[in-house]
Amino acid sequence: MKHFVLLILFKTCAIISFAQGPPITTDKAIMLGEQTIIVKTLTEFLSTEQGNYSYAPLMVHYLPTSNSLVAIHIPYTSSDTESGLGDIVVRAKYQIYRKDMKAKTHRVALKSVHWLPTGFDTGLEDYGVGEYQTLFSIISGYETLKHGIGAEFGYRYVGGDNPDFFKFDVGFGLPLLKPTYPVDQVNLYFEYHSELYSSGGSNVFFSQGIQYAKNRLTLDLALQLPLKERNTEIIDRKFKLLIGTRYVW
């Protein structure tokens, strides 16, 4: 009987982890199993008053254990005037808290991200400004079979004369179909991303996304709009379109 209960709990957590997938524009404290390999991409098309940008990373994530993750992102970046290799990103994540309950779970993780200045200066931190960058943050996630809530708070250092900033993300996931195993699910995501600069001013963005998860494959589509921008004279964003896919081994 004990083993049967443990099996049910394991399958429930597996359904939660796969069905609600990763948020599209924010991060997630919930991780998959030990020695899992994830290959993904999330191509971004950014339209601004000053020009257009695209960012297409190849992302490889590996989980040495069920509570740790290491990853490398190798992007192709382009603007109206230049294109080529973008800033290579390396990251690590470690889960420090986990509480699994019946049909729900709560996790907390620490994250470290480092941008290597291998690309050209785009004037946008996320696409590369020709300087080393690093982020340290804490992520919290709570998921049930009916919804998911996640938040991340961190501090990002940007080299050179660029200002550092605090970041705060919050996202809500809503599965539209009944949970099944193997997974066949459609998720809606409502995500907010904010940045508070040390030099003053802030950015706030909202993203509406939809995700289709089938077995080990997920497909993502999202539209991000600016709600408030720190300095529209430098970069005045109109919208960002994100298209992605993920496969889990």
Side-chain angles (χ1 to χ4, degrees):
M1 182 64 181
K2 179 180 179 181
H3 294 291
F4 177 75
V5 172
L6 289 175
L7 179 62
I8 294 299
L9 287 174
F10 172 79
K11 285 193 173 183
T12 298
C13 290
I15 290 173
I16 291 174
S17 297
F18 278 98
Q20 297 194 12
I24 299 174
T25 63
T26 57
D27 208 345
K28 185 173 185 175
I30 296 176
M31 302 185 196
L32 302 179
E34 181 178 350
Q35 297 185 354
T36 298
I37 298 175
I38 305 167
V39 177
K40 57 190 293 188
T41 187
L42 185 63
T43 301
E44 303 181 9
F45 302 96
L46 176 64
S47 175
T48 77
E49 293 290 350
Q50 290 76 19
N52 300 310
Y53 302 82
S54 64
Y55 180 81
L58 173 64
M59 300 179 276
V60 180
H61 294 197
Y62 175 66
L63 284 80
T65 65
S66 60
N67 62 349
S68 63
L69 178 147
V70 292
I72 183 168
H73 298 181
I74 303 175
Y76 178 83
T77 307
S78 67
S79 66
D80 289 341
T81 58
E82 193 170 356
S83 63
L85 176 68
D87 283 5
I88 293 175
V89 181
V90 293
R91 61 171 59 196
K93 192 160 54 173
Y94 185 76
Q95 191 177 94
I96 60 173
Y97 175 81
R98 172 175 178 169
K99 184 177 182 181
D100 293 329
M101 299 151 279
K102 185 178 179 181
K104 55 188 175 182
T105 185
H106 180 213
R107 317 281 177 93
V108 178
L110 300 177
K111 185 174 81 170
S112 173
V113 185
H114 306 272
W115 288 259
L116 309 180
T118 53
F120 58 94
D121 185 355
T122 65
L124 296 163
E125 293 93 348
D126 287 342
Y127 299 161
V129 290
E131 299 286 348
Y132 177 84
Q133 303 180 56
T134 188
L135 165 72
F136 293 102
S137 64
I138 184 169
I139 311 167
S140 178
Y142 177 81
E143 290 193 4
T144 74
L145 294 178
K146 295 182 179 180
H147 59 78
I149 303 172
E152 178 180 357
F153 178 76
Y155 185 79
R156 183 161 166 177
Y157 164 80
V158 187
D161 297 328
N162 303 284
D164 305 338
F165 58 89
F166 289 96
K167 65 166 285 183
F168 178 68
D169 297 340
V170 61
F172 305 91
L174 179 65
L176 299 183
L177 306 178
K178 292 182 179 180
T180 61
Y181 191 84
V183 171
D184 188 9
Q185 183 60 266
V186 176
N187 304 304
L188 289 181
Y189 281 103
F190 309 85
E191 300 171 283
Y192 294 86
H193 173 75
S194 60
E195 302 163 346
L196 180 62
Y197 286 82
S198 58
S199 59
S202 61
N203 292 330
V204 182
F205 305 99
F206 169 72
S207 298
Q208 173 69 74
I210 186 168
Q211 178 185 83
Y212 176 60
K214 177 71 172 180
N215 296 328
R216 295 177 176 270
L217 176 70
T218 60
L219 303 174
D220 300 313
L221 178 65
L223 179 67
Q224 185 183 81
L225 300 173
L227 301 181
K228 181 181 185 300
E229 289 195 80
R230 168 175 165 262
N231 192 338
T232 58
E233 293 179 0
I234 299 175
I235 299 292
D236 187 7
R237 297 171 177 85
K238 296 179 181 177
F239 66 87
K240 181 191 292 184
L241 180 67
L242 303 100
I243 302 173
T245 184
R246 179 188 78 149
Y247 190 83
V248 179
W249 276 276

